[in-house]
Amino acid sequence: MGERFVVVPVDGQVGVAGLGEHSDAVVSDPAPDPSGSGSSSSSGGGGGGGSTVEEKEAGEDSVFEPQDPNVVVPILEYNREPNKYGDGVPKENSPFINNTDNDKGNSYDGTNMALFEEEMDSNPMVSSLLNKLANYTNLTQGREWEQDGVSIERERASPQMGTFMGVYLPCLQNILGVILFLRLTWIVGTAGILESLAIVCLCCSCTMLTAISMSAIATNGVVPAGGSYYMISRSLGPEFGGAVGLCFYLGTTFAGSMYILGTIEILLTYIVPKAAIFVAEKKEDEADALLNNMRVYGTCCLALMAVVVFVGVKYVNKLALVFLACVILSILSIYAGVIKTIFEPPDFPVCMLGNRTLQNQNFDSCLKTEIIDNLTVTTKLWKLFCDGPEFNATCDEYFTKNNATNVQGIPGLTSGVISENMWSVYGPLGMLVEDQKLPSIGGSDPAQDIYLPYVVNDITTFFTLLVGIYFPSVTGIMAGSNRSGDLRDAQKSIPIGTILAIATTSFIYVTCVVLFGACIEGVLLRDKFGDSVKGNLVIGTLSWPSPWVIVIGSFFSCCGAGLQSLTGAPRLLQAIARDGIVPFLQVFGHGKANGEPTWALLLTAGICEIGILIASLDAVAPILSMFFLMCYLFVNLACAVQTLLRTPNWRPRFKYYHWALSFLGMSLCLALMFISSWYYAIVAMVIAGCIYKYIEYRGYKDIKISPSPCKVILSDSPSPFSLDVPRPQLLVLLDLDSDQVVKHPRLLSLTTQLKAGKGLTIVGNVIEGTFLTKDAEAKTAEQNIKSSMSAERTKGFCHVVVSSNIRDGFSHLIQSAGLGGMKHNTVLMAWPGTWRQSNDPQSWKNFIEMVRETTAAHQALLVAKNVDSFPTNLDRLGEGTIDVWWVVHDGGLLMLLPFLLRQHKVWRKCKMRIFTVAQMDDNSIQMKKDLQMFLYHLRLDAEVEVVEMHDNDISAFTYEKTLVMEQRSQMLKQMQLSRTEREREAQLIHDRNTASHAAINDKAESGPDRVHMTWTKDKLFTERNRNRECNANVAVRDLFNMKPNQSNVRRMHTAVKLNEVVVNKSQGAHLVLLNMPGPPKNRGGDENYMEFLEVLLEGLNRVLLVRGGGREVITIYS
C-alpha cells in the first residue's frame, strides 16, 4: 500500500509578501487505503519557513498545486504507514518537502541505497538476489508440472554425483551393449580387420565430434530433462527441436526394441534353446521359426519390462550399477581370455567339410566313419549327408569327394591368423561360410545346399549394411547430459565424463576388432550364431574362465539397457508434449501423481512392439541408427550455428570446440545416414521435415520455448512468449552541432566495439523544425552521419527525423525505429555534459524524459559519460580492467556488456571485475561465494569483490552539498519565474491598455457620468518593481533559512558514499559500468536527479551508465 500524505495548515505563516490567510486544510491522498483504516496523524507544523511557489509545467503531476498566488503553501508531512515496497519506509512524492523535527528517526533504513529505493520492487538489491540463488541447483527443482490443476511440490537433495559416477559410468553402460556381444565378431569376420577398423573409426569419430559439440552446448547453461531435444530446441527453435526431439524419441524407442530382441536372442540361442515354442522341422524353416519365437518372447518381455517401469522406476535406477558391473566383467573376461590364448588356447574345434563350415550341433565327432570295437561304422555326420547309415547309401556328391577335418576355432594370439582375417568376405544371402586355404573338390548345388548342415549367410552382406548395424553400439553419449540435474558440477563433469567414456569405448572397440581378428579363425568369426561350435556364443568361446561369463553378462546387460530405454523414452516424449509444440501429443504430457509418464509409456511400448514384430536385430539396428544420426547431425548444426553467429548467450565453459569440427561432425552424420541405408535416411528426413512443417504451420501458440533467431527477425511482430534476442540491438542517439557535424564520433566507436558488426544498429538524430523547411539540413545531417559511421566502421542504418521539438522527435525514434522484428532493444546516448552551463533547462529535461520513455518501452539504456575519452577502433588498450559495479539487478545487461566488449580487439586484454555492495545485515563472505558461483553458472570469467558500506551516518558534507543543490535549484526557479513574470506582465499591460482605450472611447461617445481614476503606465511599472524587490528580499531570506529536504539528503548520501567506494576501487580502470538510478517519479525533482548523477560519477574518467530493460538478458540456461 502506498504512503498517505496529509497537508497541514500553518497558522500565521507568511510565505510570500502580500499573501492572505489560508482557510481550510487540503488533504492529498495519492494512495487511498482500501480498508479505510489508513488515517494520518498530523504533528506540529511550526518547522521551516514557507517556500516560494514554482510555476507548474504543463502536464506535470503534483501533490498540491496552488491555483491562486495568494494561497499559502502548506507543509507536507507523512505518517509511517506500510507502503507498496513493504519496508515501512515513507517515499515522499515531492522532492521539495521541508524537513521537520518529526522526520528524525523516520529515515530510510537502507540509507546507502536511497538513490535506488523507488525501484526496489522491480530491481532488487544484489544481496537479496544472491540470497535467493544460494540454494541453486542445476535443474529447475521443487515444482513439478501441474497435474489436474494441482501443483505438486517435491523436495530434492542437493546433487552430489561427480564425473565418474554421474557421467562416465552411465555413458559406458549406454554405449557398450548388445552389438559388442552379439555382432562385433561377425562384423570383423565379414568386413575384415581393416574395414572393421574403418567402420569403428568412422562411427567413433562421428560420436566424438558430436560429443565435442554437445559438451559446448551442455556447458552453455543448464540442460534439464530432455537431453538433446532440450539443447536443440533452445538453440535452433521449436521446429528443429520438435522434429529432432521426436526422431530422438523414436530412436530411443527402437533402441529398446533392439535390446529386447538381443535379450531374447541370447535366451533362446545360447541359454535355453529348448524353450523355443516354434521348432523348425526342416533346415530351411529355421529362420522363420526363430523370428516367430523372437516375436512371442519379445512381446512378453516388453510387457514385463513395461510393468516394471510403471510400478517401480526407482528400482530400475538402483539396478543400473548391477547391469553395468555385468558389462565390465564381461569385457574383462574377454581381455583375460585373449591373454590366456597366448599360453593355452581354448579347445573349440570347428568341423570343416572340404573348405565348408558345418553346423556341429547334431554330431559329436567330425568324422565320416569311425572304428568302434574294430568295426568301421558311419557317424552321425554321415547320416546328415546320406540317405542312410549304410556304406552304400546315396550321399551328397560334395560330401563324398571331400574330407571332414577339424580346425581350431581359437588358434590364439600368436598363431598368425590375423593375416588371414585382414580382408573382407562379403556375400549374398545363403552363401556358404568357407575357408579358402583348405582344399575343396567339386562345386556346390545351391538348390541342395540349403537342406544340408552348412553354416551360411542369413543375410546379404556389404560394407554399408555393416555400418548401419554397428552404429547403435556407439550411441548413448547423451547419458551424461540427461543427468545434469544430479551432478555436483555439470559444466565440468559432462565434457570430461562424456569424452572419456567415448575414448574408453573407442579403445575397447578398436582393440576388440584387432584381438578378435588375431585370435579367432575366420570361419568362426563369420558364424553369426555359433552353430559351428555347438551353439556357443562366438565371443564367449574367447572369454575366460567360462563362456557363461559372457552369456550371462550380456543377457543382463541387454535387460538393463532395455529397461533404461523404456524409462528414458517416455520422459523425453513427456518433455516434448509439455512444451506444447505438437498439439496432438499433449495428452502424453500427463502421468501419475508423482509425475511418471503413464500415457507416454503406453505409446512407447506400442512403438517398441513394432520393432519387436520386425524380429530381426539386423533389421532394427539401421532404423535406430537413422534417428540417432539425425539427432547428432542437429547437435553439430546447433553448435556450428551458435559459434558462427556469436550470440551473446553463447558462452560455453567447454572451450575446445570449433565450428569447423561441428560442420565436420554434421557432414559425417549425413554421410553415415546415406551410407547405412539411403532409403531409411530419406524416410527419416521426410518424417523430420513433416514434423518441422507441421510445427511451423501450427504456429507458436502456447509454446513454452522461443522460436529460432531467424524467425524472430523475420516475423512482423515479436512472439509474445519469446525472450528477446540477447544481443543488444542498438539505437544510437547522436548530437549534431549547428553545421550538422557529429559532436561525439567516439560514440560510434563504442558502438562498433560493442556490436562487432553483429545484430542491428540504427543511428538516429532529430532536427527541430518542419520537414518542408529543414529538408536540406536533414539530408546534410544524414550524409554527415553516414560519413562518420564509415570512418568509425559502424555497420547499420541512419535515421534523421525532423520534428517540431527535440523531445517529441527522440520519443518518436524510440518508439518507431526499426521494422517488424528488426527493432532495437537498447538505446545508446552520450551524457549531456553541459547541462549545468546551459541557459535552457530543456536540454536536461529532454534527457530525463528519454530515460523515462526507454523504461516505459522496456528498452535498455546506455549512457556514456566523458565519451570523447573513450578509445578509438585503432587503439589497443593494455592490460587493465573493466569494472562492473552491480548494485541492483535489472536484467543482467550490466554483466553482458563487458563480455561483448572483450570480444573486440580494443578491449581484448582487459580483465573483468565485478563489485557489489553489502549492507549492514549482509554476510559479505557468503555473498562473495554466492556471486562467484552465480558467475560460474553464467559462464563469465571475472574477479569478484564485495564492498561493505556500513556507515549509515550522514555527514555534514552531505547536508551541505544537498543544501547548496537545493538553494541553487531554488534560485534558478526564481530567475526563471522572474523571466516568466516579465513576459506575462508585458502581455497583461498590453491587454489592459487595449481594454482601457476601448473603454475611454465608449465613455467619450456616451459622455462622462463621473470621474474615473486609472493607472498610468509609469505608475504601474513603479508599483510592480517595488513588489518584485520585496518578493526578492523575502525569497533570498528564505534561501538562507531553508533546511535541506530529508529525502534529498538520503539520496545525496547514496551518491556521495557510492562515489567514494567506486573512485577508491576503480579510478584506474579502463572503463566503469554502473547501474543507472531511475529518475524520480515526481518530475519536480528532475534537476536534483541530474545533480545526484553528477555526484555519483565525480572523479571517474570513462563511465557507462547502464539501465536494463526489465528483461533477463543473461541467464544460467542456454
Side-chain angles (χ1 to χ4, degrees), residues 186-336:
W186 174 71
I187 290 173
V188 173
T190 305
I193 294 176
L194 294 180
E195 291 187 27
S196 297
L197 287 175
I199 293 173
V200 171
C201 291
L202 201 62
C203 296
C204 290
S205 298
C206 176
T207 54
M208 180 61 81
L209 292 172
T210 303
I212 291 173
S213 299
M214 185 202 70
S215 297
I217 298 175
T219 58
N220 189 49
V222 180
V223 182
S228 62
Y229 160 70
Y230 183 92
M231 291 188 289
I232 295 170
S233 62
R234 270 59 179 178
S235 299
L236 296 180
E239 303 101 329
F240 282 114
V244 180
L246 286 176
C247 286
F248 189 50
Y249 163 74
L250 292 173
T252 308
T253 304
F254 276 105
S257 301
M258 185 186 72
Y259 291 126
I260 292 174
L261 291 174
T263 303
I264 302 305
E265 182 176 315
I266 295 171
L267 179 70
L268 295 181
T269 307
Y270 307 113
I271 299 179
V272 281
K274 295 181 180 179
I277 298 175
F278 300 93
V279 180
E281 296 180 358
K282 299 178 181 180
K283 183 178 180 296
E284 61 268 24
D285 297 331
E286 288 179 357
D288 292 335
L290 177 62
L291 294 180
N292 289 330
N293 285 319
M294 299 279 278
R295 293 184 179 105
V296 174
Y297 277 97
T299 302
C300 296
C301 182
L302 172 62
L304 180 62
M305 286 185 175
V307 170
V308 171
V309 172
F310 178 78
V311 173
V313 68
K314 59 182 179 180
Y315 301 111
V316 176
N317 295 329
K318 289 181 179 178
L319 289 173
L321 286 178
V322 177
F323 298 139
L324 177 60
C326 294
V327 174
I328 294 175
L329 287 175
S330 300
I331 293 173
L332 291 177
S333 72
I334 294 172
Y335 286 110

Side-chain angles (χ1 to χ4, degrees), residues 118-119 848 851-852 855 1076-1082 1086 1089 1107:
E118 283 191 343
E119 296 180 315
I848 297 177
V851 176
R852 289 193 174 103
T855 303
M1076 183 177 185
K1081 294 182 179 178
N1082 187 337
D1086 284 356
Y1089 170 71
R1107 185 162 173 78

Side-chain angles (χ1 to χ4, degrees), residues 773-919:
T773 59
K774 299 288 186 177
D775 181 31
E777 289 186 23
K779 289 181 179 179
T780 304
E782 185 173 348
Q783 191 60 40
N784 290 340
I785 291 175
K786 287 181 178 179
S787 300
S788 297
M789 291 173 65
S790 177
E792 300 297 337
R793 302 175 186 173
T794 304
K795 299 178 181 178
F797 305 99
C798 176
H799 195 178
V800 176
V801 174
V802 180
S803 177
S804 57
N805 60 75
I806 299 294
R807 174 176 165 181
D808 289 345
F810 280 119
S811 177
H812 295 156
L813 270 179
I814 291 172
Q815 294 177 60
S816 61
L819 178 65
M822 296 181 63
K823 290 185 68 67
H824 63 278
N825 55 22
T826 306
V827 176
L828 173 62
M829 60 192 302
W831 171 261
T834 59
W835 72 274
R836 280 177 171 166
Q837 292 78 27
S838 174
N839 293 326
D840 183 13
Q842 204 59 40
S843 60
W844 54 263
K845 288 184 178 181
N846 288 342
F847 170 79
I848 297 177
E849 287 304 312
M850 280 190 280
V851 176
R852 289 193 174 103
E853 285 170 358
T854 54
T855 303
H858 300 291
Q859 295 173 6
L861 177 65
L862 310 179
V863 179
K865 187 155 190 285
N866 299 328
V867 68
D868 293 328
S869 67
F870 276 61
T872 66
N873 294 324
L874 300 178
D875 293 338
R876 299 292 180 269
L877 296 179
E879 293 187 0
T881 60
I882 300 176
D883 288 359
V884 177
W885 284 85
W886 191 27
V887 182
V888 294
H889 181 69
D890 57 358
L893 183 62
L894 197 67
M895 289 178 291
L896 182 62
L897 293 175
F899 172 81
L900 296 176
L901 285 173
R902 290 175 62 200
Q903 307 299 310
H904 197 275
K905 49 192 173 184
V906 172
W907 304 89
R908 190 162 293 161
K909 294 183 180 180
C910 297
K911 294 182 179 179
M912 180 177 171
R913 294 193 301 178
I914 293 185
F915 297 87
T916 190
V917 178
Q919 297 297 310

